Amino acid sequence: MNINFEPYSYDITKAYERMNKNLSIKPMEIDNILVAIQDNNVDISNGKYDGTVVYINLSFIEQSSVQDNSLFAAYHTCHEELLSIFSDNPDFVDFAGDDDCFYAIFRTSLRPQIDSVLETVGKINSVFSLLNTEFFPEINVILNYRIGVDFNELIVFKDIMKSDNNTFYSRNWFGKALRCAKKMAKLEGREEANIIVSNRIFKNLKEEYQKFFDAFDDYYTSNVVNAKISNWIKSKR
């Protein structure tokens, strides 16, 4: 199931080159990959917002011949591509690590903005498929993942920290959308479907996109991908 709409500028050709480079990266070459990445150019004040959370639960299966830095390189590669894809969505607000997982926050007060978040999720699904087929076999790891998506009221508290004349902003997010997206990303069952959305997301999608989903308990599942990226991947094979 493909989404053809391609409104933003995520460049799969450049991403392919970046993935190749990141697979050989060493821990001392970059900062801790699980440190929260804050988009400080977005004007977010303390308070309540209508928002959508995309929560990605990652786990890696390591083969017997895996090298010491392979798991680090795998996490770093996922981190870089997630941040790049999220940043292409104009409603993207924040991105952070949570244990072995990542999540992103989007401001989505209008229904078309929720459609746009699903398009972003389709890009992630396509890129993770590429990593699993083209790159991760080279370092003897397999990526398992599930993406949970929910829309609801969110609460944010922004902290300001200063160090060596530098100012850092840390935003802490709470609310039902984050809790529900995390819960869905960690659900078991329907392993063939990498994406689970809440009923709140499903009923706010346009009908064209609702057709991509199947009911699953109180949620909806799909394995939707981005057509442009998936077609590019096929052309490489």
Side-chain angles (χ1 to χ4, degrees):
M1 292 175 286
N2 295 339
I3 288 181
N4 290 292
F5 186 56
E6 182 69 19
Y8 309 119
S9 59
Y10 180 77
D11 189 327
I12 186 59
T13 303
K14 293 180 180 178
Y16 193 88
E17 297 172 355
R18 186 168 56 240
M19 293 176 208
N20 255 322
K21 177 181 178 181
N22 283 334
L23 285 182
S24 60
I25 201 162
K26 301 296 189 297
M28 67 286 297
E29 295 174 345
I30 61 172
D31 293 331
N32 188 334
I33 64 171
L34 294 180
V35 171
I37 302 297
Q38 307 291 348
D39 181 14
N40 294 321
N41 294 321
V42 178
D43 183 18
I44 291 289
S45 302
N46 294 339
K48 296 180 180 180
Y49 294 88
D50 289 330
T52 294
V53 177
V54 175
Y55 194 98
I56 304 102
N57 182 26
L58 303 177
S59 64
F60 289 94
I61 300 173
E62 301 177 63
Q63 307 300 311
S64 57
S65 56
V66 68
Q67 298 181 2
D68 290 343
N69 290 322
S70 293
L71 190 59
F72 180 90
Y75 268 112
H76 176 62
T77 301
C78 289
H79 173 275
E80 291 289 289
E81 297 315 308
L82 285 172
L83 184 56
S84 180
I85 292 170
F86 288 142
S87 297
D88 272 340
N89 189 313
D91 300 311
F92 170 65
V93 172
D94 219 345
F95 177 57
D98 180 21
D99 196 10
D100 290 336
C101 308
F102 297 104
Y103 68 88
I105 307 292
F106 299 83
R107 286 188 288 194
T108 51
S109 57
L110 302 175
R111 294 180 69 175
Q113 293 173 309
I114 295 179
D115 293 332
S116 178
V117 172
L118 180 62
E119 292 152 11
T120 295
V121 171
K123 292 180 183 180
I124 295 170
N125 203 24
S126 293
V127 168
F128 278 4
S129 175
L130 173 63
L131 287 169
N132 257 343
T133 56
E134 298 287 333
F135 291 100
F136 288 160
E138 297 180 12
I139 58 173
N140 298 308
V141 299
I142 300 171
L143 169 64
N144 289 328
Y145 64 95
R146 175 156 274 180
I147 304 170
V149 188
D150 189 30
F151 164 80
N152 212 316
E153 185 178 81
L154 290 165
I155 299 172
V156 62
F157 299 99
K158 184 167 69 172
D159 299 323
I160 301 177
M161 299 168 287
K162 294 186 177 181
S163 176
D164 297 329
N165 297 320
N166 293 318
T167 302
F168 302 92
Y169 298 88
S170 174
R171 291 193 287 267
N172 303 293
W173 293 91
F174 306 90
K176 292 180 180 179
L178 182 56
R179 293 195 300 271
C180 185
K182 181 175 182 177
K183 176 182 177 181
M184 289 186 293
K186 297 191 175 186
L187 283 176
E188 297 182 354
R190 291 277 179 90
E191 276 73 18
E192 73 282 359
N194 292 317
I195 300 164
I196 302 182
V197 305
S198 67
N199 183 58
R200 286 180 290 273
I201 289 288
F202 179 80
K203 70 182 182 181
N204 281 290
L205 292 172
K206 59 185 177 182
E207 186 175 345
E208 176 189 351
Y209 287 0
Q210 288 180 347
K211 295 176 181 178
F212 294 144
F213 287 85
D214 297 313
F216 174 51
D217 293 336
D218 296 328
Y219 312 109
Y220 293 86
T221 64
S222 179
N223 207 26
V224 67
V225 296
N226 177 273
K228 183 177 180 180
I229 295 176
S230 294
N231 289 336
W232 185 90
I233 293 171
K234 291 177 183 177
S235 72
K236 291 285 293 183
R237 294 172 178 166

